[in-house]
Amino acid sequence: MTTPILLTPGPLTTSARTRQAMLLDWGSWDERFNQLTASVCEQLLAIIDGAHSHHCVPLQGSGTFAVEAAIGTLVPRDGKVLVLINGAYGKRLAKICEVLGRDFSTFETAEDAPTTAADVDRLLHADQAITHVALIHCETSTGILNPLAQIARVVKQHGKRLIVDAMSSFGALPIDAREVPFDALIAASGKCLEGVPGMGFVFADKQALAAAEGNCHSLALDLFDQHAYMARTGQWRFTPPTHVVAALHEALLQYAEEGGLHARHQRYARNCQALLQGMADLGLRSFLPAAIQAPIIVTFHAPQDSRYRFKDFYERVKARGFILYPGKLTQVDTFRVGCIGDVDQAQMRAAVTAIADALHAMHIPLPSIGTPA
Ligand SMILES: *Cc1c(COP(=O)(O)O)cnc(C)c1O
């Protein structure tokens, strides 16, 4: 079986080298495994230049586990979170606050409208009870980019704390902890670092984490404990995702070899450009204007045709070697194509050809070409 190329933003296409790193079994007491974990955390911190200000706390599970852990650990039980929403992942932040019993309010903009620093300034003036602001950097449900640096500045000016879900942007879009103040920034192994899914990590402000003892409602998701145990023993508190750590370590070596963040950003930007250009040539429209489109994932309007069914389209594109993502918008019919993973421009162009062929086979006219014979 030839494996299809995943154009989905996690799990995504990994390199053979990264997958091969999972062929060894590691013991969790093994000194070499502990060194692997320490090395991963060190390399992750270096990406945001955060070694002086932040701890990297890795956590078993998917990205949401780490987001829930960050909110549960860093927001005290009498805190209040302002949740900024312009898509499904922002809504998930609010849901987490609700389930954890943390007081919160929400501010929601349209799915194609970034939250602005002026919005946050106004909202913080209006409600002094807010202690924390929670933001999605790149909202993966559309691909929209929110202005993290400007919002972080305003939050800091108000003396409030920022929690950032940078799951789909970390490693590709620049974030500098020396310039962008935050209490927590969360990402995971299986996104722009091109590891396999299975662990998240939280960059937690050292002072904020030190003050967070006893905040958490959960044993397994307590980042204070997770960090304290790891600092003391060098080991994970509970069974580590050994193969995931080994794969991430190998993926980080390749990240450095490629040229680090700048090179990764450039490759994804080229992928995104090739995709947008190819789809525009077919006459398929993207949902977001270019100015707020992150080079991570692109949402396209589904063809306006009664014969279009996403499932059928998906299967036909898959048979041609590419896995797409369904849309995640409530109002409009869309589908999504990821630009991240171990893929390049040539593969993005091949994906566009597969999409054109699939629509042709479904007898769906392409706006640019007209009805197929
Ligand atoms: C992928 C992602 C997550 C985590 O989702 P999981 O399904 O738990 O891995 C959270 N936030 C954003 C913005 C993401 O892209």
Side-chain angles (χ1 to χ4, degrees):
M1 183 182 103
T2 56
T3 47
I5 290 172
L6 297 178
L7 296 178
T8 59
L12 41 63
T13 301
T14 57
S15 73
R17 200 174 134 189
T18 296
R19 294 193 301 275
Q20 272 151 12
M22 293 185 287
L23 294 178
L24 274 179
D25 294 323
W26 299 82
S28 60
W29 276 79
D30 190 282
E31 186 53 35
R32 282 186 52 222
F33 177 72
N34 296 335
Q35 284 165 5
L36 214 57
T37 301
S39 165
V40 162
C41 288
E42 196 179 307
Q43 292 177 73
L44 294 175
L45 273 168
I47 294 172
I48 57 161
D49 246 310
H52 292 295
S53 50
H54 292 75
H55 293 300
C56 173
V57 190
L59 187 74
Q60 300 91 330
S62 85
T64 305
F65 291 58
V67 176
E68 187 160 334
I71 292 175
T73 304
L74 292 167
V75 179
R77 296 189 193 198
D78 60 356
K80 179 172 182 183
V81 186
L82 168 63
V83 182
L84 306 172
I85 300 175
N86 44 17
Y89 289 98
K91 286 184 182 146
R92 189 178 297 175
L93 290 176
K95 182 78 186 169
I96 288 171
C97 292
E98 185 190 328
V99 170
L100 300 191
R102 296 296 191 279
D103 193 13
F104 69 100
S105 59
T106 59
F107 175 71
E108 188 163 354
T109 50
E111 285 162 318
D112 59 355
T115 314
T116 68
D119 292 330
V120 178
D121 188 40
R122 189 184 69 250
L123 293 159
L124 289 177
H125 270 298
D127 185 355
Q128 304 294 323
I130 292 164
T131 56
H132 292 71
V133 175
L135 169 74
I136 307 285
H137 186 204
C138 170
E139 176 48 83
T140 321
S141 54
T142 54
I144 194 174
L145 190 62
N146 286 307
L148 167 61
Q150 289 95 311
I151 290 173
R153 214 169 297 134
V154 167
V155 172
K156 168 100 176 173
Q157 278 162 10
H158 283 263
K160 310 297 182 184
R161 316 303 196 113
L162 181 65
I163 294 176
V164 188
D165 173 346
M167 206 71 64
S168 64
S169 56
F170 172 76
L173 303 183
I175 300 167
D176 187 337
R178 292 166 311 174
E179 284 164 17
V180 178
F182 55 81
D183 264 19
L185 187 127
I186 306 130
S189 52
K191 302 243 171 164
C192 297
L193 298 175
E194 300 181 3
V196 301
M199 65 172 269
F201 44 89
V202 179
F203 298 110
D205 177 83
K206 287 181 180 176
Q207 284 164 17
L209 189 63
E213 184 170 13
N215 278 351
C216 197
H217 59 289
S218 157
L219 174 70
L221 297 182
D222 188 341
L223 294 179
F224 178 90
D225 267 5
Q226 180 87 341
H227 172 71
Y229 187 87
M230 198 170 269
R232 203 166 62 240
T233 64
Q235 295 177 11
W236 292 61
R237 201 173 36 144
F238 306 129
T239 302
T242 45
H243 296 75
V244 177
V245 176
L248 182 56
H249 186 261
E250 198 62 37
L252 282 164
L253 294 179
Q254 294 160 82
Y255 181 76
E257 286 163 20
E258 183 177 357
L261 186 138
H262 181 70
R264 180 103 358 144
H265 185 187
Q266 292 301 310
R267 177 160 57 84
Y268 290 171
R270 287 194 300 271
N271 288 352
C272 186
Q273 198 45 47
L275 173 67
L276 285 168
Q277 187 59 55
M279 296 291 267
D281 290 347
L282 299 181
L284 292 169
R285 285 186 307 125
S286 59
F287 173 72
L288 294 173
I292 53 171
Q293 170 72 62
I296 304 294
I297 184 167
V298 182
T299 299
F300 292 97
H301 289 280
Q304 297 291 307
D305 190 289
S306 61
R307 285 160 292 194
Y308 177 81
R309 301 270 180 285
F310 176 75
K311 191 75 178 85
D312 185 16
F313 174 58
Y314 170 91
E315 290 298 343
R316 290 173 187 274
V317 176
K318 180 180 168 184
R320 290 165 172 81
F322 298 91
I323 303 277
L324 306 180
Y325 237 26
K328 215 170 183 165
L329 301 188
T330 36
Q331 306 293 323
V332 239
D333 192 13
T334 55
F335 63 91
R336 292 178 295 165
V337 186
C339 309
I340 68 178
D342 184 31
V343 291
D344 62 17
Q345 296 174 79
Q347 285 159 320
M348 299 310 286
R349 283 193 287 266
V352 171
T353 302
I355 286 169
D357 291 348
L359 292 173
H360 185 87
M362 292 167 77
H363 306 288
I364 293 173
L366 288 165
S368 66
I369 298 166
T371 313

